[in-house]
Amino acid sequence: MKKLIGPFRQVLTMRHLPLHGKLADAQLEIIASAGILVEGEMIEQIGNFQTLQSSLKEGEYEQVEVPKEAVALPGLIDAHTHLCWAGSRADDYARRNGGMSYLEIAEKGGGIWSTVKKTRSASQEELVKLMLKREWEHLSQGITTIEVKSGYGLSVAEELKQLRAIKTATKHCKADLIPTCLSAHIKPKDFEGTHSEYLDTISKEVFPLLKAEGLAQRIDAFVEQGAFSSEDIAPYFELAKAEGFDLVVHADQFHVGGTEVAAKFGAKSADHLEASTDKEIEILVKSGVAAVALPGASMGLGCAFTPARKILDAGGILAIASDWNPGSAPMGDLMMQAAVLGAYEKLSNAEVLAALTYRAAHVLSLEDRGKLEQGFLADFVIYETADFQEILYQQGRMRPAQVWKMGELVMC
């Protein structure tokens, strides 16, 4: 049976907006006194509530009421997370605030390697339980699609354990989990060989199983000092691209160079970009590679934000993601981070919301969500307010009243 949900004070459809470049709030389509008509998992129609109601026959639909003051927008999409981990890095956070740099902490046994050891010690079942808890926290924030990376296993067996845990978790959660293989996070300290030899091992032994078991369609790499150089990663990406994987790059977090790699190999996105200059922005825009800003990492590390304003003004594609991880971005509050980035970078409400919805969907190659439109998934979030501007204005304090996923109420 169809569901007619509403009436809403406002529905922000995010329809008819460009993928590239800056946006003004005046470009937003805001439907007042609106309803959302759902059939099964899909949106059948968006429009005036009374008009939709009068077009339906009695017994043909179920009416679902919402709070008297309610705003609906597409389900949020977090296009960059590391939700599959065990342990804590509170000691890293304290040392950073005490004056040590991220790279110095890593050299002394902290950083990514610290989480690798803790994640390796956890069973696959334990990792699934931890992910499901984090997924529920994200869902309660209105996030209905979540990208999740491996990268804390860093051996053939342990990377596969992480990716299998992500696949298992997908069967038990409400949000969609989109897996990404980040075996090229850093070279593990217990690997006796070069960076290139490690990557060769991963590509030969992990890549075939990603396909055979349906574990991931996306390959990510950390191109950075202390991780992998442009030269290290080139053969790895060449093979991944030849085998049909989508590519992603952790780029320009502390030093530039990753953006050029992303452009060279036609990556879907370059994520981080805190160190990017005008040169890197030009490369991004010309190549069509999307930029993913990770304000949680900037806040966690106390460093500059991604130059989001410049990227949009230059005609780039901008998504905003949480980077939720135990080291540099332990908060995981996507809306709060996006609101803060918007304040610092002077982004319009339209630009921030686009970066959390349809532009984030593009980064993940998902063409069925991110907008409230006929034929799209019925993924949407409802806030108890009469004015959508309150959502970003309250910088994460306003939590959703309801979250709908594939036409079902999954959180209220």
Side-chain angles (χ1 to χ4, degrees):
M1 180 179 288
K2 298 178 182 180
K3 298 186 182 84
L4 178 59
I5 305 160
F8 296 95
R9 285 291 191 95
Q10 297 175 328
V11 169
L12 276 72
T13 67
M14 307 307 292
R15 296 186 296 193
H16 316 307
L17 294 172
L19 180 62
H20 297 257
K22 57 188 178 181
L23 296 168
D25 287 352
Q27 293 174 258
L28 289 170
E29 179 183 52
I30 304 171
I31 304 176
S33 303
I36 301 174
L37 184 62
V38 172
E39 183 167 18
E41 299 177 349
M42 313 301 288
I43 294 172
E44 182 172 307
Q45 201 170 348
I46 306 282
N48 177 269
F49 182 84
Q50 290 187 341
T51 302
L52 290 175
Q53 191 175 46
S54 64
S55 69
L56 297 167
K57 298 177 182 178
E58 187 175 346
E60 183 184 5
Y61 71 100
E62 172 191 358
Q63 183 173 331
V64 181
E65 294 185 355
V66 298
K68 184 177 180 181
E69 293 189 341
V71 169
L73 60 150
L76 307 181
I77 298 168
D78 194 344
H80 182 129
T81 84
H82 302 255
L83 295 194
C84 187
W85 87 81
S88 170
R89 297 241 293 275
D91 52 344
D92 283 16
Y93 184 79
R95 283 192 278 182
R96 281 199 304 274
N97 288 350
M100 291 181 67
S101 73
Y102 183 89
L103 296 178
E104 287 171 338
I105 292 168
E107 289 170 0
K108 293 183 180 296
I112 293 168
W113 186 245
S114 172
T115 298
V116 169
K117 291 188 290 184
K118 295 166 186 173
T119 303
R120 286 180 175 182
S121 296
S123 68
Q124 183 172 314
E125 291 74 20
E126 288 170 329
L127 292 177
V128 170
K129 288 179 181 178
L130 289 167
M131 270 190 291
L132 290 177
K133 179 178 182 295
R134 293 167 190 145
E135 177 267 342
W136 181 253
E137 290 184 41
H138 249 24
L139 192 70
S140 71
Q141 298 173 30
I143 302 166
T144 54
T145 300
I146 308 166
E147 187 264 10
V148 185
K149 302 180 190 295
S150 65
Y152 293 129
L154 302 188
S155 71
V156 171
E158 292 295 327
E159 281 293 298
L160 291 172
K161 180 181 79 175
Q162 275 200 283
L163 290 161
R164 287 166 180 154
I166 296 168
K167 184 175 182 178
T168 299
T170 301
K171 301 173 184 176
H172 300 285
C173 63
K174 299 295 185 182
D176 286 330
L177 304 184
I178 309 300
T180 299
C181 177
L182 180 57
S183 300
H185 205 176
I186 58 170
K187 183 178 81 71
K189 293 188 176 184
D190 58 358
F191 182 84
E192 296 181 358
T194 65
H195 287 69
S196 296
E197 288 168 340
Y198 168 72
L199 293 173
D200 186 58
T201 299
I202 292 296
S203 62
K204 287 179 178 177
E205 298 187 37
V206 174
F207 283 9
L209 292 176
L210 299 182
K211 295 280 191 180
E213 297 184 31
L215 296 176
Q217 176 56 33
R218 294 162 46 84
I219 303 292
D220 196 349
F222 190 15
V223 178
E224 182 57 72
Q225 292 183 19
F228 295 97
S229 69
S230 303
E231 293 73 24
D232 291 330
I233 214 67
Y236 184 76
F237 268 181
E238 285 171 358
L239 179 59
K241 187 172 184 179
E243 294 191 6
F245 291 104
D246 289 339
L247 304 182
V248 186
V249 183
H250 277 58
D252 300 356
Q253 184 174 11
F254 304 110
H255 306 88
V256 298
T259 289
E260 292 190 23
V261 173
K264 178 180 178 181
F265 289 97
K268 197 71 182 180
S269 68
D271 303 19
H272 278 293
L273 308 175
E274 294 92 340
S276 297
T277 68
D278 290 348
K279 176 186 175 183
E280 283 70 44
I281 292 171
E282 183 180 3
I283 291 170
L284 274 180
V285 175
K286 285 185 175 180
S287 66
V289 175
V292 179
L294 305 173
S298 299
M299 296 165 71
L301 296 175
C303 67
F305 288 106
T306 302
R309 179 73 270 151
K310 287 187 174 182
I311 291 168
L312 289 170
D313 288 347
I317 305 167
L318 178 75
I320 301 173
S322 73
D323 195 22
W324 195 3
N325 72 72
S328 60
M331 180 199 312
D333 193 326
L334 178 59
M335 185 61 78
M336 190 276 271
Q337 295 169 17
V340 170
L341 179 70
Y344 272 82
E345 286 292 307
K346 304 306 176 192
L347 307 180
S348 69
N349 284 333
E351 288 167 337
V352 173
L353 295 176
L356 299 176
T357 56
Y358 73 93
R359 288 176 171 177
H362 167 79
V363 165
L364 298 178
S365 301
L366 300 172
E367 305 302 326
D368 60 354
R369 66 199 72 188
K371 300 179 182 182
L372 297 181
E373 186 169 5
Q374 183 179 15
F376 276 55
L377 287 177
D379 293 0
F380 52 94
V381 56
I382 300 173
Y383 291 89
E384 195 165 357
T385 179
D387 183 356
F388 83 94
Q389 295 182 107
E390 291 283 342
I391 300 168
L392 289 172
Y393 168 64
Q394 295 198 24
Q395 297 185 315
R397 283 195 307 118
M398 180 180 288
R399 294 300 189 181
Q402 296 181 9
V403 180
W404 288 73
K405 177 64 183 170
M406 293 185 176
E408 296 294 331
L409 178 61
V410 295
M411 198 284 296
C412 60

